Amino acid sequence: MPGMESPPLPELRIGMGWDRHRLEAGRPCMLGGVLIPHPSGPAGHSDGDAVLHALADAVLGAAGLDDLGTLFPDTDPRWRGAPSSEFLRAAVAAARERGLRPASADVVVIADAPKLGPHRAALRASLAGLLGLPAARVNVKGKTTELGQADRIEAYAVVLLSGSPA
Ligand code: C5P
Ligand code: MG
């Protein structure tokens, strides 16, 4: 019927990210913005949160923006020592400026230790809060290497953005 055209469907953009950090004795174990009780934690200029770094890169990738290290260099005093949650928040804000917002996200964490099982609910809630999504649209799963590599933590993230980019 004339004048009854459907509004244009939102566009979907997918992005992926990966990160790995060395686990160092005595460092706080920050993962997905959650402090996990563990005798070692990720080394790095920032808090070394590999999950948030992978997710932020996935958001930037999906939005057609640059990458984490280019946008938030640790040589810039604004970002030096910043909690990684700020990187993800800034990546989501940059995507929103382009007319895209998170629709869902999924993360695989590869670590022989710590076990994520007891922390999955807290991780999902933390990531959902940072992405502006209900927890049901965000998931995090832990996997071991089966190789006894308790000295590292690795994260893969995929993110779907939707909207009407300019
Ligand atoms: O790697 P693998 O298949 O042996 O992992 C089996 C299960 O152990 C996973 O599906 C997950 O439930 C749990 N796991 C975890 N945290 C890890 C590694 C594995 O919760 N860091
Ligand atoms: Mg990193």
Side-chain angles (χ1 to χ4, degrees), residues 19-21 46 48-50 53 68:
D19 200 16
R20 176 197 288 155
H21 280 249
S46 64
D49 193 324
H53 296 177
L68 199 59

Side-chain angles (χ1 to χ4, degrees), residues 109-118 120 142-146:
V109 176
I110 302 166
D112 286 336
K115 283 284 191 280
L116 294 196
R120 285 186 58 237
K143 294 294 286 179
T144 59
T145 69
E146 304 264 1

Side-chain angles (χ1 to χ4, degrees), residues 83-112:
S84 298
S85 52
E86 285 191 25
F87 300 143
L88 182 54
R89 280 190 216 280
V92 170
R96 279 183 176 273
E97 275 172 29
R98 294 205 146 192
L100 289 159
R101 58 188 168 77
S104 72
D106 196 13
V107 177
V108 176
V109 176
I110 302 166
D112 286 336

